[in-house]
Amino acid sequence: MSDGRQEQGQGRLQGEQQPVVRVVVADDQTAVREALATVLDLQSGVEVVATAKDGGEAVRAAEEHAPDVVLMDLNMPRVDGVEATRLIGERFPGVAVVVLTTFADEEYILAALGAGARGYLTKESGREDITRAVRAAAAGQSVLDPAVRDRLVAAAARGGAPVQRPGAGLAPELTPREVEVLTLIGEGLTNRGIAERLVVSEATVKTHINNLFSKAHLRDRAHAVKYAFIHGLVKTPG
């Protein structure tokens, strides 16, 4: 095992201050894999330390290079992205996985998030969205593509989740500001988007999210989206 394991989840320092987010890119399509690696390497504060053409290679790269983030495709040969995500979560819990895939079906979304993925994007995402998701994951945050958020809400609706009148039944400890933040999570906004909407810092948003997750016993952003829907804070797409 590499000595770099001590750096896991922390990134190396660029100069004296800015942490460099170390990334492994896993995709079975060579052109896509190389393009993603090139795009990310051009971003300030991001370094691609390895690429992988299947899930097995992604797991080995996580062990060898101790990245902060693995950008993971789902449909790969031998070991698929869901299984690789699960293995990385079990063996290297300090490594965050962000899924980047063509699939936005709820089956794939729930499988990947259930395996421990910290973010889920479709390949229609732009380079800024991908870079933002990688940085957010390295900072312990999660990002859901708006299309993924819509699928989760629609799945909750089809599953017969009882929807209450807006705000009814929420954890009583939630402050009005935390309810605002929860609503914006339900609408699919990132931490940066929430900060811009509320005119506060991203650090303040992260504090609100940590508090409301604790009070409402929410596991992750996907769970928060469903919770916001059930309590009438967001509506189904369309």
Side-chain angles (χ1 to χ4, degrees):
M1 186 179 295
S2 166
D3 291 339
R5 175 58 49 198
Q6 296 177 357
E7 299 179 19
Q8 181 176 310
Q10 299 175 2
R12 294 186 297 110
L13 292 182
Q14 182 182 52
E16 292 297 323
Q17 297 184 8
Q18 185 180 10
V20 174
V21 180
R22 294 161 50 82
V23 181
V24 168
V25 175
D27 197 295
D28 65 322
Q29 298 183 52
T30 302
V32 173
R33 185 172 65 248
E34 292 180 351
L36 286 170
T38 298
V39 165
L40 287 171
D41 257 339
L42 290 173
Q43 306 306 307
S44 175
V46 178
E47 177 188 4
V48 176
V49 295
T51 61
K53 64 178 179 293
D54 59 49
E57 285 193 2
V59 175
R60 290 191 290 275
E63 178 176 15
E64 180 178 353
H65 297 281
D68 300 291
V69 179
V70 176
L71 190 62
M72 184 82 73
D73 188 22
L74 290 185
N75 189 18
M76 295 187 290
R78 290 178 287 278
V79 179
D80 66 21
V82 172
E83 178 64 9
T85 297
R86 185 187 66 79
L87 290 172
I88 289 172
E90 288 180 352
R91 300 178 186 178
F92 319 112
V95 178
V97 174
V98 173
V99 168
L100 180 66
T101 182
T102 56
F103 302 106
D105 296 339
E106 63 193 70
E107 177 183 355
Y108 289 100
I109 297 168
L110 295 174
L113 295 176
R118 191 170 290 170
Y120 197 113
L121 303 177
T122 67
K123 287 185 176 177
E124 295 182 358
S125 302
R127 63 182 181 182
E128 290 184 359
D129 293 327
I130 295 171
T131 303
R132 187 178 302 120
V134 164
R135 288 176 173 150
Q141 304 169 16
S142 61
V143 175
L144 298 178
D145 186 286
V148 171
R149 170 264 174 200
D150 289 348
R151 292 288 182 133
L152 290 172
V153 171
R158 286 196 304 274
V163 180
Q164 303 182 34
R165 61 181 176 80
L170 288 168
E173 301 88 353
L174 294 180
T175 66
R177 180 61 98 183
E178 289 163 358
V179 173
E180 281 187 280
V181 171
L182 175 61
T183 301
L184 295 175
I185 290 174
E187 292 177 0
L189 273 68
T190 63
N191 285 14
R192 176 178 294 182
I194 294 171
E196 291 173 352
R197 180 76 64 86
L198 299 180
V199 195
V200 297
S201 70
E202 286 190 61
T204 297
V205 170
K206 186 174 181 180
T207 297
H208 287 314
I209 290 174
N210 289 339
N211 289 340
L212 75 88
F213 273 34
S214 176
K215 292 175 182 178
H217 306 291
L218 302 175
R219 298 184 302 275
D220 49 38
R221 218 171 185 93
H223 191 194
V225 169
K226 182 176 180 180
Y227 186 81
F229 167 72
I230 290 172
H231 292 283
L233 301 179
V234 296
K235 298 180 180 179
T236 54

